[in-house]
Amino acid sequence: MKIVVLVKQVPSLGAVEFDEETKTLKREGVPLELNVFDRYAVQHAAALREQHGGEVVALTMGPPQAEEALRECLALGADRAVHLSDKAFAVADTLGTSRTLALAIAKEGADLVLCGRKTLDSETWQVPPEVAAFLGWPHVTNAAELECTDGRVLSLTRETDFGDDVFEVATPLVASVGRAPAGDAAEGARDGPITVWTARDLVDDFRDDDKRFGQPGSPTRVLAVRDSRPARKGLQFEDVEAAAQATLDLLAERRPEADPWEKPRHIAENPGATYDCWCVVELAAGQPRRISLELVSRSRNLAGKLGGKQVSLVLGTGAEAAAEEVGRHGGELVYTAEELGEYHPELWAHAIRIVLERQRPHVLLVPATGRGRDYGPRAAGELELGMTGDCVGVDIARAGRLLQQKPAYGGNIVSVIMGATTPQLATVRPRMYDPLEQRDDAEFDVRRLDLGPLPEPRVRLVERRESRTSYQIDEVDVVSLLGPGLGGAEAIPRIEAEAAAVGAAVAGTREACDAGWVDRPAQVGLLGRPVAPRLLVAVGVHGDLEEVGGFVKARVVVTVGPDDAAPIREAADVIVEGDWRQTLEPLHRAVAAGL
C-alpha cells in the first residue's frame, strides 16, 4: 500500500506574537514545528506499512524552511518526502491549497492519503475533505483507529460527540486523524530523499497568475488581522459568595446583544436585488441543536440586510417533526430532508451540493460541529466554492458580500475574510450568537426538499456506538473544565454530580483526558475542542497556551484552586482562593441561582 501523508509546518505554541504597528502576526525568527496532528498521521501511516508493507511518502507545501518538517517525518518513519515549493503557491487559501495538494497526489499516485484533522495555527479543518473532493475519492474525518483488513479495505473508527462511528471503505481514500496510534510506534529514523516540485512539475501548461495556484486560485481574501485576546479582570476572592456575585455581575455585563425578531432593513441605500440567507439545522435527540438555532437567528438578521428570507435546511431523521420548532425560532422558509436518515458524510454532502447547485443561496451558514466540518467543506470542494471555517462572527458588507471573522490560535488572533464566489459559505462556531426567543405566533412555511435519488455511499457505515453526550458542552451556559490539579480520578464523580445539579457540562484538559478522567471528545484546548460558554469554571487547570486557547471565547472565566503560580490566573476574570473541595459546590449553586 502506498500512503501519502499531508503535513504542515506551523509556528511553535507560545511563540506567536501580534505586531500592534503592522496589525499582523510576527513571523520573523519564530520557531517552527511539525503540526502535531500531522505527526499522528505519519505515525499511523508507518504502523500500517509495518503491518502490510508498502511505502510512506510525506508531502508538504511551503517555503524552503518547511524541509525541516519533512526531515522530522522521515525520522518518524516516512520512506521519502515531496516538497511543493514555488512562489506560485504563496498566499493560498484552503481551496487553493487543496487543489495544489490534489494535483501533487495525482502525480505521485497513492492508495491512501492521511493527514491531521486540523492545523493548530489557523484552526483549518477543511483541507482533508476538499482534497478528497478534488480527487473524487471518499473521505473519513477525525479517525481515532485505522485497520487494514485485506490490503484494499480499511476499517476506520471516527470519534464523534455522540459516540464512535465505524466505517469500512475501499481505497483510494482520504482520511484525517485526531489521535496518535495505540501501542508502540513503528520503527523510524529513515533517511530517504526529499524531492522538490514546483508548479511546472504539476501541470504542463503553467502560466503567470495561474488560477489553479496560490492567491489567483484562492477565492477568499484576508482583509485585516486583529488581536482578539480578551481582557480578563483577575479579581481575587476568598469569600465564595462575593466571588459568585462578582461572577454574576460580569455575566450580566457581558451578555451578548441578541438579534431582534424584527429584521434589519436592506443594507444597500438603493437596493437593486434581494437575496435569501440559508443555514443548515442539525438535530440531537430529535431537537434542533443550539448552534442551529443560533444560525437561524443570525441568518435571519443577515437575510434582512440582503432584503430576502431566512431559509433553514433541516437534515436527517426527525427533520419534519423539528421543522415547526425551527419556524417558531425565526425560520421563515423551512426545508426538510428526512430521507437522509441518520448522519452519513457522503449523503449529507450530496444534499448540500444539491442545494448549492439548484437553489443557489446567496449565503449558506453551516454549524462548525464535527458533522458540519465534514460535509460542508466536501460540498464546497466539489463545487470549488470558497468557504471560511470555524468563524466567530459573520456579517454583511454593503456590496452584499459575507464578512467572516476567522480565528487562529483558538481565537487570540482573528482574520477578517471576504470571498469572491457565490454561494458564499462559512462554518460558524457554537455560542457565537444567541437564539431568538420562541414565538408561537410566528409565520413560516415548511416544505420537503426533493433531493432525487440518493447515491450509493462508497463509505459503508458498519456500526454506530452512541455512547456519548459531549455535544452538550455546546448546549449549556456553564462548563466545568477539569485539570490535573484535581489530584486523582476519585474527584470526578463528585464534580459530575455537582455539575449536573446546576445544569453544567463537564470537560477536561489534555492531561485530564490522557489520564482517562474525562472522555476524549470532551477535551478542551488547541489539541481538543474550542468552547464558548457564558461561564467557564476551571478546576485544577494549570492554564498553558494550549489549554487557554480552547476557551478564549468564554464570556466569563472563573478559576478555583490554591496554585498562586498557575498561569490560569492571568486568563481568569474571577479567582477563588482555597481548596476546590470546599468552594466549588457553593460557587456552582450560587451562580446557578442567579443565572
Side-chain angles (χ1 to χ4, degrees):
M1 177 185 292
K2 185 174 184 180
I3 307 173
V4 170
V5 186
L6 307 181
V7 302
K8 184 182 179 183
Q9 190 179 52
V10 299
S12 299
L13 285 177
V16 180
E17 295 183 27
F18 187 78
D19 191 320
E20 292 289 351
E21 293 185 6
T22 64
K23 303 299 180 184
T24 60
L25 293 177
K26 294 180 181 179
R27 299 187 181 276
E28 194 70 29
V30 174
L32 303 171
E33 62 187 15
L34 179 64
N35 184 56
V36 64
F37 290 107
D38 299 341
R39 175 192 299 272
Y40 299 162
V42 176
Q43 292 171 331
H44 275 285
L48 287 172
R49 182 203 55 217
E50 294 305 304
Q51 295 167 12
H52 305 282
E55 182 184 31
V56 175
V57 181
L59 171 64
T60 195
M61 186 178 85
Q65 60 263 36
E67 179 183 328
E68 298 173 10
L70 294 177
R71 294 289 178 198
E72 187 172 349
C73 292
L74 294 173
L76 289 169
D79 296 288
R80 56 187 179 88
V82 175
H83 187 180
L84 304 179
S85 185
D86 192 323
K87 291 181 179 179
F89 301 149
V91 201
D93 67 3
T94 53
L95 192 75
T97 298
S98 299
R99 183 188 297 109
T100 301
L101 292 172
L103 287 168
I105 293 164
K107 174 182 172 67
E108 173 65 37
D111 299 299
L112 173 64
V113 173
L114 292 182
C115 43
R117 71 178 183 186
K118 69 170 184 175
T119 55
L120 293 188
D121 57 342
S122 58
E123 298 287 317
T124 298
W125 305 70
Q126 296 164 233
V127 168
E130 290 186 350
V131 167
F134 277 110
L135 292 170
W137 295 1
H139 80 272
V140 174
T141 58
N142 200 32
E145 301 174 16
L146 295 87
E147 295 180 7
C148 185
T149 55
D150 65 358
R152 286 281 302 166
V153 177
L154 276 86
S155 173
L156 304 99
T157 300
R158 180 176 185 266
E159 282 188 339
T160 81
D161 277 335
F162 302 89
D164 291 334
D165 291 345
V166 181
F167 293 104
E168 281 189 354
V169 55
T171 58
L173 166 73
V174 176
S176 71
V177 300
R179 295 180 61 179
D184 297 331
E187 285 190 29
R190 301 186 179 228
D191 192 24
I194 297 177
T195 304
V196 178
W197 288 349
T198 66
R200 287 179 171 81
D201 292 306
L202 302 183
V203 296
D204 296 328
D205 56 345
F206 177 79
R207 53 194 179 275
D208 292 339
D209 294 325
D210 197 306
K211 295 189 182 302
R212 290 168 289 187
F213 303 108
Q215 190 169 53
S218 299
T220 62
R221 296 285 186 276
V222 176
L223 305 182
V225 180
R226 300 171 181 165
D227 186 349
S228 189
R229 289 170 293 183
R232 300 297 184 186
K233 292 289 187 179
L235 305 174
Q236 300 184 38
F237 297 92
E238 293 184 0
D239 180 73
V240 174
E241 290 187 5
Q245 187 56 56
T247 301
L248 289 170
D249 291 343
L250 286 172
L251 287 169
E253 177 185 322
R254 296 176 183 175
R255 179 179 289 275
E257 183 177 345
D259 287 326
W261 261 88
E262 185 72 24
K263 294 192 316 189
R265 296 176 56 187
H266 201 301
I267 196 168
E269 294 181 5
N270 299 298
T274 61
Y275 303 101
D276 297 336
C277 186
W278 288 55
C279 75
V280 178
V281 173
E282 297 179 5
L283 308 178
Q287 300 297 313
R289 294 190 61 177
R290 179 191 159 100
I291 171 59
S292 298
L293 297 181
E294 292 170 16
L295 295 190
V296 171
S297 171
R298 189 57 184 167
S299 57
R300 182 183 174 94
N301 179 279
L302 302 187
K305 295 180 180 180
L306 294 168
K309 289 184 177 181
Q310 193 290 324
V311 184
S312 297
L313 175 61
V314 190
L315 300 180
T317 301
E320 294 178 9
E324 287 196 10
E325 184 174 354
V326 173
R328 289 194 294 269
H329 280 88
E332 294 181 285
L333 175 57
V334 184
Y335 281 105
T336 64
E338 181 102 19
E339 65 268 36
L340 288 176
E342 294 300 323
Y343 180 69
H344 191 288
E346 282 186 283
L347 298 182
W348 285 42
H350 170 77
I352 298 299
R353 176 170 180 163
I354 291 294
V355 167
L356 294 171
E357 288 182 312
R358 296 180 185 172
Q359 304 287 344
R360 301 295 298 173
H362 192 67
V363 173
L364 174 65
L365 303 181
V366 176
T369 60
R371 292 175 175 178
R373 295 182 182 117
D374 193 24
Y375 62 79
R378 176 70 193 220
E382 289 180 351
L383 298 176
E384 298 195 42
L385 294 172
M387 169 179 268
T388 302
D390 265 50
C391 291
V392 295
V394 287
D395 208 343
I396 297 294
R398 286 196 174 275
R401 304 308 296 174
L402 185 66
L403 283 174
Q404 303 138 78
Q405 297 180 37
K406 164 76 175 176
Y409 297 100
N412 287 296
I413 306 295
V414 170
S415 299
V416 180
I417 294 175
M418 184 181 289
T421 52
T422 304
Q424 301 173 86
L425 308 178
T427 66
V428 183
R429 281 188 181 179
R431 303 194 71 88
M432 296 299 104
Y433 299 99
D434 274 356
L436 291 172
E437 290 188 11
Q438 179 174 307
R439 285 178 52 167
D440 293 335
D441 62 345
E443 296 183 0
F444 54 90
D445 187 15
V446 178
R447 303 176 189 174
R448 294 187 64 181
L449 182 68
D450 182 12
L451 295 173
L454 297 176
E456 185 66 29
R458 293 171 291 178
V459 177
R460 187 170 71 90
L461 179 62
V462 176
E463 183 182 5
R464 173 158 284 153
R465 309 167 190 152
E466 294 193 349
S467 57
R468 300 191 190 101
T469 57
S470 48
Y471 69 89
Q472 293 179 349
I473 290 173
D474 295 325
E475 306 289 320
V476 299
D477 286 337
V478 182
V479 171
S480 295
L481 179 63
L482 312 185
L486 289 175
E490 62 277 3
I492 304 302
R494 171 185 167 181
I495 294 177
E496 289 179 336
E498 292 176 2
V502 297
V506 173
T509 64
R510 179 181 68 254
E511 291 91 342
C513 293
D514 286 346
W517 301 348
V518 179
D519 203 9
R520 184 69 63 179
Q523 178 180 327
V524 169
L526 293 180
L527 297 177
R529 65 190 296 157
V531 293
R534 289 189 64 201
L535 172 63
L536 183 130
V537 181
V539 190
V541 175
H542 183 66
D544 62 26
L545 179 62
E546 189 278 325
E547 294 168 344
V548 172
F551 56 86
V552 170
K553 295 300 179 183
R555 296 283 172 178
V556 178
V557 176
V558 174
T559 182
V560 179
D563 188 350
D564 294 337
I568 185 65
R569 299 167 76 91
E570 299 294 324
D573 295 293
V574 175
I575 301 164
V576 184
E577 308 286 0
D579 191 330
W580 67 265
R581 295 170 183 82
Q582 281 76 51
T583 58
L584 180 61
E585 193 274 336
L587 176 72
H588 265 152
R589 188 175 61 248
V591 171
L595 279 175

